[in-house]
Amino acid sequence: MAIFIDNDTRLVVQGITGRDGSFHTRQMMEYGTQVVAGVTPGKGGQSFEGPDGKTVPIFNAMDEAVAATGANTSVIYVPPAFASGAILEAADSGISFVVAITEGVPVLDMAMAHAFARDRGVRVLGPNCPGLISPGKSKVGILPAQIVSEGPIGVVSRSGTLTYEAVFQLTSNGLGQTTCVGIGGDPLIGTNFIDCLRAFEADPDTAAVVMIGEIGGTDEQEAAQFVTDHMSKPVVGFIAGQTAPPGRRMGHAGAIISGSAGTAEEKIKAFEDNGITVAQRPADIVGLIRAALA
Amino acid sequence: MAIFIDNDTRLVVQGITGRDGSFHTRQMMEYGTQVVAGVTPGKGGQSFEGPDGKTVPIFNAMDEAVAATGANTSVIYVPPAFASGAILEAADSGISFVVAITEGVPVLDMAMAHAFARDRGVRVLGPNCPGLISPGKSKVGILPAQIVSEGPIGVVSRSGTLTYEAVFQLTSNGLGQTTCVGIGGDPLIGTNFIDCLRAFEADPDTAAVVMIGEIGGTDEQEAAQFVTDHMSKPVVGFIAGQTAPPGRRMGHAGAIISGSAGTAEEKIKAFEDNGITVAQRPADIVGLIRAALA
Amino acid sequence: MDIHEYQAKERFRAAGIPVPPGEIATTPDEAYAIASKYGGMVVVKAQVHAGGRGKAGGVKLAKDATEAREHAGNILGMEIKGLTVEKVLVTPAEDIQTEAYVGVLVDRNNQAATFMVSAEGGVDIEAVAAETPHLIRKLVVDPRYGILPHQGLWLANYLYDDPGLIKQAAKIITQLYHAFIDAGASMAEINPLVTTPSGEVKAIDAKMSIDDSELFRRPDVAAMRDSSGEPASEIKAREANLSYVKLDGNVGCCVNGAGLAMATMDLVKYYGGEPANFLDIGGSSNPDKVVAALEIITSDPKVKSILFNIFGGITRCDDVANGIVEATKRIDIKPPIVIRLTGTNEEVALEILKNAGFDAYTSMDAVVEKAVALAGAN
Amino acid sequence: MDIHEYQAKERFRAAGIPVPPGEIATTPDEAYAIASKYGGMVVVKAQVHAGGRGKAGGVKLAKDATEAREHAGNILGMEIKGLTVEKVLVTPAEDIQTEAYVGVLVDRNNQAATFMVSAEGGVDIEAVAAETPHLIRKLVVDPRYGILPHQGLWLANYLYDDPGLIKQAAKIITQLYHAFIDAGASMAEINPLVTTPSGEVKAIDAKMSIDDSELFRRPDVAAMRDSSGEPASEIKAREANLSYVKLDGNVGCCVNGAGLAMATMDLVKYYGGEPANFLDIGGSSNPDKVVAALEIITSDPKVKSILFNIFGGITRCDDVANGIVEATKRIDIKPPIVIRLTGTNEEVALEILKNAGFDAYTSMDAVVEKAVALAGAN
């Protein structure tokens, strides 16, 4: 088992003919993801050349792609100006899960897109996220496949490379993963920590969860409360940004301490108050997970 | 029993201090409707003087009125420019039923207001409707109370005075009513024939229904199909506008034959095809109801 | 309220939709001058609030300015469905490759603006919808979101195969939606939407109806009202705030309430007569309104009898009776008047009317039968 | 992107919000001229992208033009939170009766624009929200509907009792929402919203932050960028498309990814050092970006060591290694550089770096410890 994506994931790539879209489509296909369709308006009828001589049909629109291929998931690699439109189109096409990789999508566009997706009961991951990978089953997004391995740990994170750091250490120490999810660093994200924790709790193959947060907002605090209220599985946490100054955006649009709200201190305290053991350094995560599973 | 309003109806009048609002509030109070509050922005804290020395507290806003009085229904007598805003406010205040009397509300405003009310699960009657009356229990709107009487007939109509005509004949012939509902003559109305038929079918005190339609749209045709599919009680129908020319609006914004769609002929045929006996003249309604109940 | 093609085109142009140039002529010489300016072939198009202009001969292709003048001479003053043509639009003839239909209207069932598009343009869309609905693609626009980019493309995909044409059409569809919303329209239509040999997509004809209830807050739209060519009686009725529609019969009808007014017309027909009009005086018993109603009804020379059908609810019958008596004092009315009044204060009202010498009834059937008989006799 | 008070006021004014007049001075004499024009008392306000202007002495009341010149002389050139004041706003002093707070920002939890209003104006709203949340009324605006008339009134009802003030405030709240949306803002604030003895409601101060992701499609908003007073290093970073924040330590950090960059800073602190900056070079291994990053880091004289922490995923480590070598050839760098590279093609990369004479590691802890030690030694 895994969460959100697995062997049944049938993926459409929105923006498959773009620079990023085509590169990552090949990567996903090489990993074994079932990429069943691509969408690029105006290029319907053409074919995308994947690795090993495989091809993927291209459609003008999501509804056509879904009707023709029975896709259930999409991933979005289109420029910011068109990204929220692509999410709306995906949410309207009958699929149930949309992964938005694009960085720099206007926040007010996302407010509307999230409302639209909620109206239709469609799960959105991102935007501005690395996607997710269920080792041995499916990869959707840009996470490097070589650092993951199959095993009992669920990983959820707001960050990209920091996740790689954590996952790499897990894998190097023989701790494989059920699913690694990057929820993204934007202020308005579709799938949050709680959504992932709930899914990991329900996934019989996940034995423990690593949750990697950062400064800004209160998602980690609410997730911590959720752990107390609804989780039986151990959770190990890490928070980046203890040295970040207030009021400055630290790369991610969502990584900003507003006044005294959203600091690493309050998040770490919320973790500790709710029984989540907190790694002081990324290097400590493996030890804490081992202790939790012992 | 009755539909939509009864002895438990606790009414707020939106626009209680206006010319129409104050007149009809007195009429409703005289009939025995529990008018528990009025709303006029800027006049909160004042009192409305009703008949027989009764007073009604006035509030600045619906949320205050509902919180203070436990109202569950509102009726709107505000000018067209503010009517859809009043509906939105009512739908946001915790009440479950809004009756919009105002005529001339922009249709695109109503498209938004109906969507908003649907989002919140609030029933809207109207706009541009005479309201409804459950004889002996409650009256909300402008229907003349003196023509109704208690009894087993449900009446639903798109028209005002034509309804009075029918109800008057029923009452004069000893056929009282459970509830008489004027759904209004606008193109976009909140509660339609089917909503009323479903309620009458479920109301144990209603034995038969009079349904009075007119040209324009396909509400009557769909209602006729509903009668076949879901109703055990007899329905007698009447359609106004057999002599109306196509393409001209006959008073009501919704009473217009578009091309060949929405004619009286097609509606009458739909009624007859679905077992609804059709009165050729308003005067025939009583006889048909008697026959149906025999 | 209907607006003319040239006015709809102005709104479309302002919304960014590609629309060919065009100017209005009210005389043949003006048409000649405009056509000369454009050079080449032009189309002369009657500007009148009636469908079926083409079939009625109100749209003509002219090979040059001289022929444009000739066509304008024929079209100006022409009657189309009872309306007189007082303006023509002169516009360069376009080189057309394909014709499609794009329209948006308020749909009652979906309670929202709804697009209909068809690759079959220049046709009666209602006929297409009724007979070959599979040739139409429909889209309901959720008012909470407005039209979304993929929805415009979805409609455009149905019209064209070429990506360039699809992109242009999707943009036009979005612009049409904005023109529709910004005008407070109940309907906006491009029929046909054409493609040219050079690969452009353009709106060759334009139609828009405005929701009357929007006019109070849209002075720019209200200013587009053009009553030229409209029957004087309907203009007068609108100014008096009466709902009035002229018909061809001889029994004048004056009723309170639209449903009852239609039922009254139907009953006139039932008793073998023909209604001369639809007229709803509304809930008011203001004598001025009754005077205006009677002036409008009697301005139709065909009217041989006049019937009032009033159901007093909130409206008091005695007020209406007084209004009628007052009105007939102020104006001289030839056709006989018969009156049905029932409801609130009906006894007092009937007394007032009998004293003033009117036939008064309490049954709708009775008054209609009588009015039909009087019309037949006169 | 933050904009200045005077720019926010321009946007508010365009949205219809009553805002007092005001002009910008960059010299004391200009301030004198503006104050003379207004006559009477004026306020001289530092225009700088930093909170707490008032406490820092950046806002002064002047009784006349001469005093305005004097205040402007003191304020211009002042440093507030590391930013130099280069402009002051001169605006007539208002007669203030009450002060309230009205703000709207994008709320993460509700995924929508959210208003906060408080009858306690002129305060730090975050402090009020944290300490006395019952003094704030909050409203989440459903993006599908925008702010609705009754919602504006509901907020205004919380601020005032007088119907006239409520009506004005409700209108201002609606206008503020439109100004917020039209600018692509993440925050817009009127603090204080005042009432005057004559019963007017006005915005005396104005603050607005723009979502950087909106700028590409809002040239009018992007044109409001004012980098004056900003550290040169941050301007350069923005132009090079790098995420960079200057800090006070001495260990320069260059990392790929924002989360890893923060974790690296934290680890510097963990090992007893102080990070000199946050810097995320993004996913690119473009040598130009590495050059720019190194130029920015070394422009800070406090920097005593530089550490690279690169986790190669999609990014290939050998590309980054080549970029670093190339960059250090182009510019002369004094502080020692230590590098951690791991992930895709790490072996090749470590080889390249060792050959070029760099200390290269594969463990994050090792490189941070080393960098801290080098900074302490230098």
Side-chain angles (χ1 to χ4, degrees):
Chain A
M1 290 274 294
I3 71 168
F4 304 150
I5 59 169
D6 56 27
N7 290 322
D8 296 331
T9 297
R10 296 175 61 78
L11 187 70
V12 192
V13 179
Q14 296 180 256
I16 194 169
T17 55
R19 198 179 62 91
D20 291 347
S22 56
F23 176 80
H24 291 297
T25 299
R26 283 191 191 92
Q27 298 270 323
M28 291 188 286
M29 291 174 79
E30 273 168 12
Y31 192 68
T33 304
Q34 292 186 66
V35 178
V36 297
V39 167
T40 299
K43 300 204 174 165
Q46 300 181 16
S47 269
F48 174 82
E49 305 294 324
D52 308 326
K54 288 181 204 147
T55 62
V56 177
I58 302 178
F59 299 87
N60 283 321
M62 277 298 289
D63 65 309
E64 296 168 13
V66 173
T69 66
N72 54 21
T73 300
S74 91
V75 63
I76 290 171
Y77 297 99
V78 307
F82 307 105
S84 76
I87 295 173
L88 298 171
E89 180 178 6
D92 223 8
S93 70
I95 63 160
S96 56
F97 186 34
V98 183
V99 180
I101 306 301
T102 312
E103 179 178 356
V105 185
V107 175
L108 294 173
D109 283 5
M110 285 313 306
M112 198 64 105
H114 287 313
F116 190 85
R118 271 196 306 273
D119 272 0
R120 279 159 183 70
V122 171
R123 173 178 300 287
V124 173
L125 181 67
N128 188 20
C129 79
L132 72 172
I133 185 166
S134 294
K137 300 184 178 71
S138 187
K139 158 183 154 158
V140 175
I142 64 173
L143 281 155
Q146 67 273 21
I147 60 170
V148 304
S149 59
E150 289 184 66
I153 312 299
V155 178
V156 54
S157 169
R158 274 169 72 180
S159 155
T161 46
L162 178 56
T163 314
Y164 309 167
E165 182 79 39
V167 170
F168 177 64
Q169 296 196 12
L170 290 171
T171 293
S172 306
N173 287 281
L175 292 162
Q177 306 88 40
T178 48
T179 304
C180 305
V181 189
I183 60 174
D186 265 18
L188 303 193
I189 54 173
T191 295
N192 60 24
F193 282 119
I194 291 178
D195 298 319
C196 296
L197 292 175
R198 186 182 288 116
F200 281 130
E201 176 71 13
D203 173 31
D205 288 350
T206 299
V209 179
V210 175
M211 170 160 61
I212 300 172
E214 62 188 32
I215 55 162
T218 56
D219 270 18
E220 289 84 353
Q221 294 88 313
E222 283 139 29
Q225 187 60 50
F226 179 88
V227 169
T228 292
D229 296 344
H230 301 288
M231 284 197 73
S232 62
K233 298 177 183 177
V235 180
V236 170
F238 179 80
I239 299 289
Q242 297 184 54
T243 49
R248 301 302 306 268
R249 173 181 155 170
M250 306 303 275
H252 287 163
I256 181 166
I257 298 167
S258 305
S260 59
T263 62
E265 286 65 29
E266 76 183 45
K267 288 168 192 266
I268 289 171
K269 180 168 188 307
F271 276 11
E272 288 173 344
D273 288 351
N274 288 282
I276 300 169
T277 51
V278 180
Q280 284 202 61
R281 306 174 299 162
D284 296 337
I285 291 172
V286 166
L288 293 175
I289 278 285
R290 284 216 170 109
L293 290 175
Chain B
M1 289 274 293
I3 70 168
F4 303 150
I5 58 168
D6 57 24
N7 290 322
D8 296 330
T9 296
R10 295 175 62 78
L11 187 70
V12 192
V13 179
Q14 295 180 257
I16 194 170
T17 55
R19 199 179 61 92
D20 291 349
S22 57
F23 177 80
H24 291 296
T25 300
R26 284 189 191 94
Q27 299 269 322
M28 290 188 285
M29 290 174 80
E30 274 167 13
Y31 192 68
T33 304
Q34 291 188 65
V35 178
V36 297
V39 167
T40 298
K43 300 203 174 166
Q46 301 180 15
S47 269
F48 174 81
E49 306 293 323
D52 309 324
K54 286 180 207 152
T55 62
V56 177
I58 301 178
F59 298 87
N60 282 324
M62 277 298 289
D63 66 309
E64 296 170 13
V66 172
T69 67
N72 53 23
T73 300
S74 90
V75 61
I76 290 171
Y77 297 99
V78 307
F82 307 105
S84 76
I87 295 172
L88 298 170
E89 180 178 5
D92 224 8
S93 70
I95 63 161
S96 56
F97 186 34
V98 183
V99 180
I101 306 300
T102 312
E103 180 178 353
V105 186
V107 175
L108 294 173
D109 284 4
M110 286 312 307
M112 200 62 107
H114 287 313
F116 189 85
R118 271 196 305 273
D119 272 359
R120 279 158 182 72
V122 171
R123 174 179 298 288
V124 173
L125 181 67
N128 188 20
C129 80
L132 73 171
I133 185 165
S134 294
K137 300 184 179 71
S138 187
K139 160 184 153 158
V140 176
I142 64 173
L143 281 156
Q146 68 272 22
I147 60 170
V148 304
S149 60
E150 290 183 63
I153 312 299
V155 178
V156 54
S157 169
R158 274 169 73 181
S159 154
T161 48
L162 178 56
T163 315
Y164 308 168
E165 182 79 37
V167 171
F168 179 62
Q169 296 195 11
L170 290 171
T171 294
S172 306
N173 287 279
L175 291 163
Q177 304 89 41
T178 46
T179 304
C180 305
V181 189
I183 60 175
D186 264 19
L188 303 193
I189 53 173
T191 296
N192 62 22
F193 282 120
I194 290 177
D195 298 319
C196 296
L197 292 175
R198 185 182 289 115
F200 281 130
E201 176 71 12
D203 173 31
D205 288 349
T206 299
V209 178
V210 176
M211 170 160 59
I212 299 171
E214 62 188 33
I215 56 164
T218 55
D219 271 17
E220 289 84 354
Q221 294 88 311
E222 284 140 28
Q225 187 60 48
F226 179 87
V227 169
T228 292
D229 296 344
H230 301 287
M231 284 196 75
S232 61
K233 298 176 184 178
V235 180
V236 169
F238 178 79
I239 299 288
Q242 297 185 55
T243 49
R248 301 303 305 271
R249 170 181 157 170
M250 307 302 275
H252 287 163
I256 181 166
I257 299 167
S258 306
S260 60
T263 63
E265 286 64 31
E266 77 182 46
K267 288 168 192 264
I268 289 170
K269 181 167 185 310
F271 276 11
E272 288 172 345
D273 288 351
N274 288 283
I276 300 168
T277 52
V278 179
Q280 284 204 58
R281 305 173 299 161
D284 296 337
I285 291 170
V286 167
L288 294 175
I289 278 285
R290 284 217 171 107
L293 291 175
Chain C
M1 181 182 94
D2 289 333
I3 62 173
H4 289 302
E5 174 193 1
Y6 79 92
Q7 295 169 317
K9 281 184 170 171
E10 279 165 18
R11 310 250 354 155
F12 288 5
R13 206 177 276 125
I17 299 172
V19 172
E23 284 180 42
I24 284 295
T26 56
T27 64
D29 286 345
E30 281 175 21
Y32 176 87
I34 298 164
S36 305
K37 198 175 68 181
Y38 292 134
M41 287 171 72
V42 297
V43 189
V44 182
K45 307 174 88 174
Q47 299 297 292
V48 65
H49 298 311
R53 287 180 306 177
K55 282 179 202 154
V59 180
K60 293 281 184 197
L61 187 68
K63 66 175 189 297
D64 56 21
T66 307
E67 201 174 273
R69 171 157 54 195
E70 195 183 309
H71 288 327
N74 293 331
I75 294 171
L76 288 164
M78 180 184 269
E79 279 237 335
I80 300 179
K81 296 193 178 163
L83 302 175
T84 312
V85 179
E86 300 191 354
K87 291 174 180 170
V88 293
L89 173 65
V90 182
T91 177
E94 292 286 331
D95 202 357
I96 292 170
Q97 205 157 51
T98 68
E99 300 195 347
Y101 172 94
V102 172
V104 54
L105 49 73
V106 174
D107 182 78
R108 295 160 179 248
N109 293 340
N110 293 300
Q111 303 200 317
T114 301
F115 272 89
M116 289 200 285
V117 304
S118 174
E120 307 275 311
V123 297
D124 174 4
I125 194 68
E126 278 157 354
V128 178
E131 290 151 29
T132 49
H134 59 281
L135 296 180
I136 291 178
R137 182 169 269 194
K138 275 178 95 164
L139 173 86
V140 179
V141 181
D142 187 330
R144 301 172 305 169
Y145 297 103
I147 188 156
L148 301 170
H150 70 280
Q151 296 175 326
L153 282 166
W154 185 72
L155 292 172
N157 275 337
Y158 189 72
L159 300 180
Y160 307 117
D161 289 324
D162 177 77
L165 298 179
I166 289 169
K167 213 171 154 187
Q168 289 178 70
K171 197 169 165 194
I172 289 171
I173 286 164
T174 301
Q175 291 163 329
L176 181 63
Y177 180 75
H178 291 135
F180 171 87
I181 295 291
D182 291 347
S186 52
M187 188 273 287
E189 193 177 85
I190 302 173
N191 188 18
L193 182 74
V194 305
T195 58
T196 66
S198 61
E200 288 172 292
V201 184
K202 285 186 189 179
I204 292 301
D205 200 352
K207 207 167 162 182
M208 187 141 70
S209 296
I210 310 299
D211 174 9
D212 290 338
S213 300
E214 293 271 2
L215 297 176
F216 77 91
R217 63 181 178 187
R218 298 187 193 273
D220 59 322
V221 178
M224 290 194 294
R225 175 167 322 269
D226 179 4
S227 306
S228 66
E230 245 185 273
S233 57
E234 296 197 358
I235 299 171
K236 187 179 166 72
R238 189 168 57 240
E239 284 163 2
N241 240 327
L242 296 167
S243 290
Y244 171 80
V245 176
K246 199 185 161 325
L247 301 170
D248 282 333
N250 57 8
V251 179
C253 301
C254 186
V255 189
N256 69 327
L260 190 61
M262 282 189 276
T264 303
M265 288 158 49
D266 294 349
L267 206 59
V268 167
K269 182 95 175 176
Y270 177 86
Y271 282 110
E274 287 290 342
N277 63 278
F278 165 91
L279 196 156
D280 171 13
I281 59 163
S284 160
S285 43
N286 177 342
D288 291 340
K289 252 189 164 171
V290 179
V291 173
L294 283 169
E295 280 175 351
I296 289 162
I297 292 172
T298 54
S299 70
D300 178 357
K302 284 191 190 159
V303 169
K304 298 297 180 222
S305 69
I306 299 170
L307 80 82
F308 273 79
N309 185 11
I310 304 296
F311 199 109
I314 300 317
T315 310
R316 284 165 50 187
C317 287
D318 53 337
D319 280 353
V320 179
N322 282 323
I324 295 173
V325 173
E326 170 68 22
T328 52
K329 275 182 198 159
R330 287 203 232 161
I331 52 169
D332 180 37
I333 297 165
K334 292 282 172 321
I337 300 178
V338 289
I339 301 163
R340 182 268 185 133
L341 279 162
T342 196
T344 317
N345 291 4
E346 97 183 30
E347 294 78 10
V348 190
L350 295 177
E351 195 62 28
I352 293 167
L353 291 172
K354 289 224 167 94
N355 290 344
F358 288 102
D359 284 338
Y361 302 81
T362 57
S363 142
M364 180 168 162
D365 284 74
V367 75
V368 170
E369 262 198 283
K370 178 72 180 180
V372 170
L374 285 170
N378 284 317
Chain D
M1 181 182 95
D2 289 332
I3 62 173
H4 289 303
E5 173 193 3
Y6 80 91
Q7 295 169 317
K9 282 183 170 171
E10 278 165 18
R11 310 258 341 163
F12 288 5
R13 206 177 275 126
I17 298 173
V19 172
E23 284 178 44
I24 285 295
T26 55
T27 66
D29 286 344
E30 280 174 22
Y32 177 86
I34 297 165
S36 305
K37 201 176 67 179
Y38 291 135
M41 288 171 73
V42 297
V43 188
V44 182
K45 308 173 87 174
Q47 301 296 291
V48 65
H49 298 311
R53 287 180 306 177
K55 281 178 202 152
V59 179
K60 293 281 183 198
L61 186 67
K63 65 177 188 300
D64 56 21
T66 306
E67 202 174 272
R69 172 159 53 197
E70 194 182 310
H71 289 326
N74 293 332
I75 296 171
L76 288 165
M78 178 183 270
E79 279 237 337
I80 300 180
K81 296 191 179 163
L83 302 175
T84 311
V85 180
E86 300 191 354
K87 289 175 182 172
V88 292
L89 173 64
V90 182
T91 177
E94 292 285 331
D95 202 357
I96 293 171
Q97 204 157 51
T98 68
E99 299 194 348
Y101 172 92
V102 173
V104 54
L105 49 74
V106 174
D107 182 79
R108 294 159 179 248
N109 293 340
N110 294 299
Q111 302 200 319
T114 300
F115 273 90
M116 288 200 285
V117 303
S118 173
E120 307 276 312
V123 298
D124 174 4
I125 194 66
E126 279 157 353
V128 178
E131 292 151 29
T132 48
H134 60 282
L135 296 180
I136 290 178
R137 182 169 270 193
K138 274 179 95 163
L139 174 86
V140 179
V141 181
D142 187 330
R144 302 172 304 168
Y145 297 103
I147 188 157
L148 301 170
H150 70 279
Q151 296 175 325
L153 283 166
W154 184 73
L155 291 172
N157 276 336
Y158 189 73
L159 300 180
Y160 306 118
D161 290 324
D162 177 77
L165 298 180
I166 290 169
K167 214 172 153 185
Q168 289 177 70
K171 198 171 165 190
I172 289 171
I173 286 164
T174 302
Q175 290 163 330
L176 181 63
Y177 181 75
H178 291 135
F180 171 87
I181 295 291
D182 292 347
S186 52
M187 187 273 286
E189 191 177 86
I190 301 173
N191 187 18
L193 182 74
V194 306
T195 58
T196 65
S198 59
E200 288 172 293
V201 183
K202 285 187 189 176
I204 291 302
D205 200 352
K207 207 167 163 183
M208 188 142 69
S209 295
I210 310 299
D211 174 9
D212 290 336
S213 299
E214 293 272 2
L215 297 175
F216 78 91
R217 61 180 179 188
R218 300 187 192 270
D220 58 322
V221 179
M224 291 193 295
R225 181 177 307 277
D226 179 5
S227 307
S228 66
E230 245 183 274
S233 56
E234 296 198 358
I235 299 171
K236 187 178 166 74
R238 190 169 56 241
E239 284 162 2
N241 240 327
L242 296 168
S243 291
Y244 171 79
V245 176
K246 197 186 163 326
L247 300 169
D248 283 333
N250 58 7
V251 179
C253 302
C254 186
V255 189
N256 68 328
L260 190 61
M262 283 188 276
T264 304
M265 287 158 50
D266 294 347
L267 207 60
V268 168
K269 180 94 177 177
Y270 178 87
Y271 283 109
E274 288 290 341
N277 63 277
F278 166 92
L279 195 156
D280 172 12
I281 60 163
S284 161
S285 43
N286 178 342
D288 290 340
K289 252 189 164 172
V290 179
V291 173
L294 284 170
E295 282 175 350
I296 289 163
I297 292 171
T298 53
S299 70
D300 178 358
K302 285 193 191 159
V303 170
K304 298 295 178 223
S305 69
I306 300 171
L307 80 83
F308 274 80
N309 183 12
I310 305 295
F311 199 109
I314 300 318
T315 308
R316 285 166 49 187
C317 288
D318 53 337
D319 280 353
V320 179
N322 282 322
I324 295 171
V325 173
E326 171 67 23
T328 51
K329 275 183 201 159
R330 289 203 233 161
I331 51 171
D332 180 38
I333 297 166
K334 294 279 174 321
I337 299 178
V338 288
I339 302 165
R340 182 267 184 135
L341 278 163
T342 194
T344 317
N345 292 2
E346 102 185 25
E347 294 77 11
V348 190
L350 295 177
E351 195 63 27
I352 293 168
L353 292 172
K354 291 223 167 96
N355 292 344
F358 290 100
D359 284 338
Y361 302 82
T362 59
S363 141
M364 181 166 162
D365 285 75
V367 75
V368 170
E369 261 197 284
K370 178 75 180 177
V372 170
L374 285 170
N378 283 316

